[in-house]
Amino acid sequence: MTIDDTVLDRHGVTREEYQRILEMLGREPSLTELGIFSVMWSEHCSYKSSRVHLKTLPTTGTRVLQGPGENAGAVDIGDGLAAVFKIESHNHPSFIEPYQGAATGVGGIIRDIFTMGARPIALLNSLRFGPLEDPLVRRTFEGVVAGIAGYGNSIGIPTVGGEIGFDESYTGNPLVNVFCLGIARADEIIKGVASGTGNAVYYVGAKTGRDGIHGATMASAEFDEKTEEKRPAVQVGDPFMEKLLLEACLDVIKSDALIGIQDMGAAGLTCSTCEMGSRGGAGIEIDVSLVPQRETGMTPYEIMLSESQERMLLVVKQGRESEVERIFEKWDLHAVRIGQVTTGGRMKVRNRGDLVADIPTTALTDEAPVYRRPMEKPAYLAEAQKLSLAALGAPSSPSEVFARLLATPEIASKRWVYRQYDHMVRTNTLVFPGMGAGVVRVKGTGRALALSVDCNARFVYLDPRAGAQLAVAEASRNVACAGGLPIGATNCLNFANPQRPEIMWQFGQAVEGMGAACRALDLPITGGNVSLYNETDGRGILPTPVLGVVGLIEDATKVVRRVFQSDGDVVILLGENHNELGGSEYLKVMHGLIRGLPPALDLAREAALQRVLVEGAAKGLIRSAHDCAEGGLAVTLAECCFDTDLGAETDVAAVPAEGSFGDIATLFGESASRVVVSVAANRTAELIALASAAGVPATPIGRVGGDRIRMSIAGRRVIDEPLRDAERIWSTAIDRHFEPKRAIA
Amino acid sequence: MKFAVVVFPGSNCDHDAYYAAKHVLGQDAEFVWHKDSSLGGADVVILPGGFAHGDYLRTGAIARFSPVMRAVKAFAESGGPVLGICNGFQVLLEAGLLPGAMLRNRSVKFQCEHVHIRVEQTDTPFTAACRPGQVLRIPIAHGEGNYYAEPDVIERLEKNRQVVFRYVTAAGAVKPEANPNGSASNIAGLCNERRNVVGLMPHPERACELAVGSADGLVLFESVLKAVTQGAFLGAEASPKATVTAR
Amino acid sequence: MRARVFVTLKPSVFDPQGTTVSDALHTLGYANVKDVRQGKYFELEIDAPTADEARKVAAEAADKLLANPVIESYRIEVEEAR
Amino acid sequence: MRARVFVTLKPSVFDPQGTTVSDALHTLGYANVKDVRQGKYFELEIDAPTADEARKVAAEAADKLLANPVIESYRIEVEEAR
Ligand SMILES: Nc1ncnc2c1ncn2[C@@H]1O[C@H](COP(=O)(O)OP(=O)(O)O)[C@@H](O)[C@H]1O
Ligand SMILES: [Mg+2]
């Protein structure tokens, strides 16, 4: 086949990129080579639009053992142990086939973790969907949740937390971001490198089929009505195979017989071979005819580009081959030698001996194109940032707003979801989903890790720079609430088409904001993932940079949960209320608006607040802590009561606000850096002293107790609901969408 | 005392059972690979939870053919205490060591949550330390825990007092709303006629420390420790060592 | 030779999956679907000289593995290689 | 009227369940079972005047609910009430 414009278009390779390929090879590529270039130079694998921006993020710190560039990042958690973690998106596949797309997303991120020699011990997920009123959205939602459950449960890794958001913009572009964390001995972390001429290259795991060919390029293209034709064979996950691979690989890694190991994720065999070679400064030579195949008549092109799941590539130390083979045999897996490490830094692919591709590995990795795409402030911003409350008419009563907000899926209990996730397997989970940041203990140490993934995309839409900072602050505040000192972060940057300058501007601003916030909070980013082209028919998603933060709890017995603990405890608000309704859930739910400016964030104050939380937890002062997020103070106070038998009576000061919106802003405004904590009455002074020493406002606002949720503003009672009634609304709002409507017999 | 924790390919609560036996109860424990034919002299055998062979086809359907199952059968026949937890229970059903079968949960969904179960019988090695009627708060985590047997089989189970655990309300009442999966007669666990083989869907090994939400499950482990050390409730012949090796 | 094995729950056994499907169909407006039962379906490619031989192998597979006699029954069809 | 719907994975789609069953059969000594594919099987009891009408309802049910068109295909057989 001659390579013409049609062929290039089908591969998503631009004319300029093709010129570079010609120069790098000094000849025309074969079709197999073009395929290899196209997947490695795709947005998904090369980060060509995002790389220049990502370089600005802080990635180092005293605890960082592995920054970006490997399969996952790693931070030191003491006792010679490392927390290895990363987040990955599987948005496009989950839109095409929700169950399998989400399942294979879980499978992929788990491989990234055990590839580093870490035993995965926790999963979280961050999801976005269109409104649940839409039956197709419900089907996607159900499928995604079942897929995450189906894979995570059977492999036996608990899903300990997550978040879910809803907005029209995700209807045709759901987001499925999965975070995984594992524990490794710090000195046993293994990397994805190939080195040592003559060392054998092994393939192990599932056989290769035609699934997902061009998955990486697809993940880098938007959807339109023609996508149907581009549909690759959908990848089907096999968690059973992955469980065997996980155990076998951890055994093999412990045996010290490996030089390097990498999973075959996006761009499959192609990506794993050239990345391992490039990292090790070596060449690699494989023969595709030796690759175990599930289907007949597969071409070298197909074998190299297949994205069949549950496959690993290993480089084995010379002389240790049979030992490695034996370990895999125990798990009924056959490790197959498909090539060896060579000198010369080239990736050579043969088919029954014939050379079918011969490319310098660095041409596919370090020297892949990098774009500094044009950025332009979007036109929508100036208008969207304007908010006139007066124009909205008179607000509804606080109790009506309260009930409406509790019933919105964004705020409502996510029990319907996490009940389907095994969140207890491995018996490490100290804080279950729904109780705040997920917390897992690290057996054999007295420590625990608090984990949270967060992003308020409305804030990012209204001001990408500030919104990204708020996402960093929220995720790390959530782990601090549990008593965790934030020590490392990972991000998943979900945006629309980067070739639109206004999207690229959103991206650039968000990365800048994220970097600034991470620096201020001393939070290195050790890895992450970028998902671009999240748009359908030209309609993009809200910019959604999701942050995953890991917090270290030195004493696992001092973990703090969301809910009030005892009758008579004092309720204290850390932080201050401001007149801030911009981007709030209130505006979205009550007025259908995403408008205004997101809440202001003072990073120094945020850092101080988080220090108070961590210290207050370590001292055993704080009995419960819950961050004020969507729905503001009123919803936060209610959530402190839900799942307990304890109501609360509180009174807060009014914030001065435009017209009749005073109460609304006080109760439902989403000002940043606020946490509701409860403290034993006799230790209140101690906490207040701790807070004021750190310059954090701490205001006693009431008492835990009774069977009602009562809130007053400066002596005026504005909300007074029976706890059980409010809880019923909140706990059934998602279930309601899925109850079978039985036909009348 | 020594526990053998059988590991099938796809078992994933093997470490949890091992941890409960060894680190919480403080007894000896060893993993036994499903291809092994010996139980290595253990006093108690646990078939742990998980997804043996992916739970593809049917839960426990393929695992029952594992070589180790011959040893488990022989051990059970000689009166040795065998506990099947969740997937392990499903394997015992498929292997015919306990009667009945599992259907999908009534909700057709996987469910992970704490439930309450009532101890119906205290003359089994795994309930010997329980109070009669004791209510335990223990988690479930399964998609197929909807126990089924023909009505005459259920009748026989009841008559022989083989229903060991039942789903109940926190107050201990057998109510439909306390039944998480639709199982017949709210059955959460049962034993064989000889009473030495017990299977249950809830996970006692996940409820052995307050830190992880409940310590109510520990009593099952304490029970078997008591039973083995006192030689009680182990079927006809007392305290056989798991030296039986399948041919 | 290809053998098809249909495994169905016995009529006396409650079928949660079938019930769910049937509820969902009713929600979609198919009131005339009176009952749904869900089962499993296997296609076995068997190397056997005769259809009878293939049927025998399939029946053994079903007895031993594919169906659980406590709750399920099965039916076999054999199709000569095309 | 009874409609039977057979849902199978498209040939190009990987079938881990079928593969596992086939491995299990090999372990049990059935080396002559060359390949196993697992699918779903539904029996729909449909209140319809004609077989054609029943087939139409079953096909709609399959399109909307029983089969996932991205990875599965289906086949329908209708049997007049016995
Ligand atoms: N997709 C999910 N998977 C598991 N747990 C979830 C998921 N979504 C939400 N949760 C749990 O529900 C609770 C509420 O989530 P969220 O509203 O994001 O809380 P927060 O205000 O603490 O960020 C958290 O404890 C979270 O772990
Ligand atoms: Mg959140």
Side-chain angles (χ1 to χ4, degrees), chain A residues 125 127 161-164 414 418 421 433-436 454 474 478 626:
Chain A
N125 53 83
L127 312 176
E163 58 147 10
I164 310 179
K414 310 295 186 294
Y418 60 73
Y421 301 152
M435 282 289 158
D454 289 283
E474 185 186 352
N478 275 330
H626 190 30

Side-chain angles (χ1 to χ4, degrees), chain A residues 41-221:
Chain A
W41 286 12
S42 72
E43 192 64 60
H44 191 77
C45 291
S46 73
Y47 291 83
K48 57 189 168 189
S49 306
S50 57
R51 232 203 258 198
V52 292
H53 299 275
L54 299 178
K55 281 220 165 77
T56 67
L57 291 172
T59 59
T60 54
T62 48
R63 288 183 180 271
V64 176
L65 299 171
Q66 178 64 58
E70 271 294 331
N71 290 300
V75 293
D76 186 345
I77 57 166
D79 288 330
L81 297 179
V84 177
F85 59 95
K86 198 176 134 180
I87 189 167
E88 270 267 8
S89 65
H90 230 212
N91 305 336
H92 293 81
S94 302
F95 177 58
I96 293 180
E97 209 313 272
Y99 184 99
Q100 294 298 345
T104 53
V106 174
I109 189 65
I110 292 172
R111 282 195 300 280
D112 278 338
I113 302 306
F114 73 73
T115 294
M116 302 283 293
R119 174 170 287 280
I121 62 161
L123 289 164
L124 289 88
N125 53 83
S126 171
L127 312 176
R128 296 293 182 285
F129 302 97
L132 285 179
E133 283 70 26
D134 181 337
L136 283 174
V137 169
R138 284 204 296 277
R139 209 172 162 166
T140 308
F141 181 82
E142 232 180 336
V144 164
V145 170
I148 291 172
Y151 209 101
N153 296 356
S154 43
I155 197 163
I157 302 170
T159 297
V160 302
E163 58 147 10
I164 310 179
F166 301 88
D167 183 81
E168 285 78 1
S169 70
Y170 303 111
T171 298
N173 272 283
L175 301 186
V176 176
N177 294 181
V178 187
F179 169 104
C180 185
L181 176 136
I183 301 289
R185 293 218 53 85
D187 55 5
E188 281 175 8
I189 288 179
I190 183 161
K191 302 187 177 174
V193 292
S195 63
T197 305
N199 281 331
V201 174
Y202 273 87
Y203 170 112
V204 67
K207 291 179 179 170
T208 296
R210 291 195 173 86
D211 17 53
I213 290 174
H214 277 178
T217 25
M218 179 189 66
S220 313

Side-chain angles (χ1 to χ4, degrees), chain C residues 1 4 9 18 39-40 45 48 51 55 58 64-65 79 81:
Chain C
M1 211 99 42
R4 300 175 204 282
L9 286 171
K40 290 181 195 133
E45 218 54 69
R55 178 181 300 275
K64 280 205 188 149
L65 190 66
E79 176 190 302

